Amino acid sequence: MSEKIKIVTIIGARPQIIKAAALSRAIKNNFSDQIQEIIVHTGQHYDENMSAVFFKELGIPQPDYNLHVGSASHGVQTARMIEGVEKILLDEKPDYLVLYGDTNSTLAGAVAASKILVPIVHIEAGLRSYNKSMPEEINRILCDHSAALLFSPTETGFNNLVKEGFDPDRRAPFSADNPGIYHCGDVMFDNSLHFADLAKINSLVLKDLNIENERFVLCTIHRNNNTDEPTRLQQIFEALLEIVKRSDHYLVLPLHPRTAKLLMTNLTEAVYQQLMHHERIKLIPPVSFLDMIALEMHATLIITDSGGVQKEAYFFQKPCIIMRPETEWKEIVELGAAAIADASKERILQAWENFLANPPIDYPQIFGDGHAASFICEEMLKNKM
Ligand code: UD1
Ligand code: UDP
């Protein structure tokens, strides 16, 4: 091939910035003479510890464009992004638009690109919760159904696409009308392998929190149906307090800004005060990715409603309690490594007791071989030959 292909990558929310590190690293190391990447940050996440920290730490090139959309209602936020992305695509004329996951930034990219016929590459395709009250479920379905190349991290994701009518036997050249689907492994598994050793060497988070020699549970909460519904949030925190009371464990909770803003209003005064003043509870601001994986590697168990953190629990062989009614990563539940507890105090405590008594022992490698990003680069190139 003589000329480089040009891709525009959209990032916006924290997990997308982290995922993009894997592809940017693969391009830099193996495909720099064949692929030019233009990075567009929508500005969906903008706090230093939700965005800038990752660029520095993970070696991601600075964005070529930042749309600075910030926070707003779904409609306003997505509309602002569509307008900005469309203009960039018209100016840059890329061979592909690369989209990650299922956020409003993903949806905006899909709408903008599909109308002006820029082929879409969707990384993390095929995942389904089969719960359309989740904004992310709508975003991922719409993105998948406008993409030309769909890369699924899991076999379940690939099978979901087939169930929705995607034909695994189609042949290149792929387009929105003739989409190609792949089961390629997870770029976040690539990242966890790559950054785990760096985290061991560089992260000071355990020392800073003074928990180097302590047992602790790591917890993250940010789903809108948990944070915005007082009864659910209350049940979750009652369960977390009970876990701390019943054991000698610390609780480490890096708080998403959405959650931090709602704790005081959506919890009872009694629970809020206990949280703030318990000596073994560490409510902390969002941490960097290296600090996060250092915490994950040392935790006894992880309790989360995050998609990414569920998988990282599995990568680092930690039992995981999922505070959602269902999960897109159903393999980890079927393998007994994670348990769904929704926002039920009783189910969270039951899962905690079960995992303490019988921790999972087997974590088969179901997220690929650590080279998903290189595979994606190769397929993008092949399809352009
Ligand atoms: C978004 C994604 C969700 C993803 C999550 C990752 C959608 C619909 N949701 O949810 O799929 O799991 O990101 O973290 O795209 N805020 C700040 N500072 C920031 C960013 C957000 O204070 O830098 C606060 C604002 O009050 C904002 C709220 O968090 O209104 C929610 O942010 P938003 O990006 O709309 O949704 P997330 O809950 O972060
Ligand atoms: N993460 C992080 N710092 C934190 C919390 C999470 O670096 O304080 C990382 C985490 O390791 C994972 C990603 O952010 O890689 C998950 O993002 P998030 O939970 O915000 O979104 P989701 O994966 O649910 O879309």
Side-chain angles (χ1 to χ4, degrees):
M1 181 180 293
S2 51
E3 273 185 32
K4 283 188 187 187
I5 65 162
K6 187 197 268 191
I7 64 171
V8 166
T9 298
I10 304 283
I11 54 179
R14 166 171 67 189
Q16 296 170 316
I17 302 169
I18 302 172
K19 286 167 199 165
L23 200 75
S24 297
R25 190 170 61 248
I27 294 172
K28 186 169 150 226
N29 292 342
N30 306 319
F31 300 94
S32 57
D33 53 343
Q34 297 171 81
I35 301 177
Q36 177 195 3
E37 184 182 34
I38 307 284
I39 297 181
V40 177
H41 193 325
T42 62
Q44 179 170 349
H45 287 175
Y46 43 84
D47 291 348
E48 156 80 24
N49 56 21
M50 295 292 286
S51 172
V53 64
F54 302 109
F55 289 88
K56 290 180 210 145
E57 185 180 66
L58 308 183
I60 311 165
Q62 283 303 311
D64 299 274
Y65 299 90
N66 192 325
L67 300 174
H68 295 292
V69 297
S71 304
S73 67
H74 287 282
V76 169
Q77 188 183 55
T78 311
R80 283 184 191 142
M81 293 177 192
I82 295 173
E83 195 177 350
V85 173
E86 181 184 63
K87 182 166 185 329
I88 293 166
L89 293 178
L90 290 169
D91 290 347
E92 293 286 351
K93 301 181 181 50
D95 294 286
Y96 295 108
L97 179 69
V98 175
L99 299 171
Y100 290 97
D102 53 21
T103 71
N104 287 346
S105 298
T106 316
L107 174 65
V111 174
S114 53
K115 301 288 175 141
I116 53 174
L117 308 184
V118 174
I120 293 167
V121 174
H122 190 202
I123 300 180
E124 255 192 18
L127 299 178
R128 298 288 180 268
S129 61
Y130 297 103
N131 172 0
K132 284 191 180 150
S133 69
M134 272 184 94
E136 293 83 0
E137 183 77 351
I138 306 298
N139 294 346
R140 52 172 92 103
I141 292 173
L142 295 179
C143 182
D144 278 343
H145 285 266
S146 45
L149 301 181
L150 295 90
F151 293 98
S152 177
T154 58
E155 201 180 329
T156 303
F158 184 87
N159 292 338
N160 290 341
L161 292 173
V162 175
K163 273 192 253 161
E164 285 174 28
F166 287 89
D167 178 356
D169 296 324
R170 283 184 190 270
R171 292 290 161 256
F174 295 120
S175 65
D177 285 320
N178 182 42
I181 62 172
Y182 306 84
H183 169 203
C184 70
D186 192 337
V187 292
M188 281 308 296
F189 185 54
D190 299 12
N191 270 340
S192 294
L193 290 180
H194 183 81
F195 290 113
D197 285 340
L198 271 181
K200 280 180 201 151
I201 300 163
N202 292 337
S203 173
L204 297 174
V205 70
L206 300 170
K207 190 164 179 284
D208 290 347
L209 293 175
N210 210 7
I211 52 170
E212 278 169 299
N213 301 315
E214 307 294 347
R215 301 204 297 169
F216 66 90
V217 172
L218 176 65
C219 177
T220 76
I221 305 164
H222 76 276
R223 290 284 153 209
N224 59 340
N225 71 332
N226 285 335
T227 59
D228 300 8
E229 289 185 28
T231 41
R232 290 176 63 92
L233 201 65
Q234 177 76 13
Q235 288 260 322
I236 289 171
F237 276 97
E238 281 181 16
L240 296 175
L241 283 170
E242 185 61 29
I243 285 171
V244 175
K245 275 183 210 153
R246 281 189 196 176
S247 74
D248 63 351
H249 279 76
Y250 279 65
L251 173 70
V252 179
L253 226 166
L255 278 183
H256 188 290
R258 163 178 219 122
T259 319
K261 285 174 189 165
L262 288 164
L263 275 192
M264 206 196 294
T265 41
N266 285 351
L267 291 179
T268 58
E269 178 67 14
V271 165
Y272 181 76
Q273 289 305 333
Q274 286 180 65
L275 268 181
M276 292 297 143
H277 297 114
H278 198 294
E279 58 175 8
R280 280 188 284 117
I281 296 182
K282 307 269 184 186
L283 290 182
I284 56 175
V287 295
S288 76
F289 184 62
L290 292 188
D291 285 349
M292 189 63 186
I293 58 181
L295 288 168
E296 288 168 347
M297 285 188 281
H298 286 87
T300 303
L301 176 145
I302 296 175
I303 306 183
T304 189
D305 60 9
S306 157
V309 176
Q310 283 174 50
K311 273 181 303 168
E312 287 160 9
Y314 188 89
F315 301 157
F316 297 119
Q317 308 203 344
K318 302 296 173 174
C320 180
I321 300 176
I322 302 170
M323 295 183 294
R324 288 190 33 202
E326 74 286 301
T327 179
E328 301 79 43
W329 308 103
K330 64 180 209 172
E331 287 90 342
I332 64 174
V333 177
E334 285 165 359
L335 287 164
I340 290 184
D342 202 3
S344 150
K345 177 179 176 184
E346 199 187 324
R347 288 173 69 187
I348 294 169
L349 290 172
Q350 187 63 56
W352 158 255
E353 297 293 348
N354 290 348
F355 277 137
L356 270 197
N358 294 305
I361 41 171
D362 200 17
Y363 290 82
Q365 197 160 323
I366 52 169
F367 289 99
D369 60 3
H371 297 102
S374 289
F375 177 87
I376 292 167
C377 290
E378 277 160 15
E379 293 304 320
M380 286 195 294
L381 286 166
K382 269 194 220 160
N383 194 48
K384 278 286 155 193
M385 277 179 191

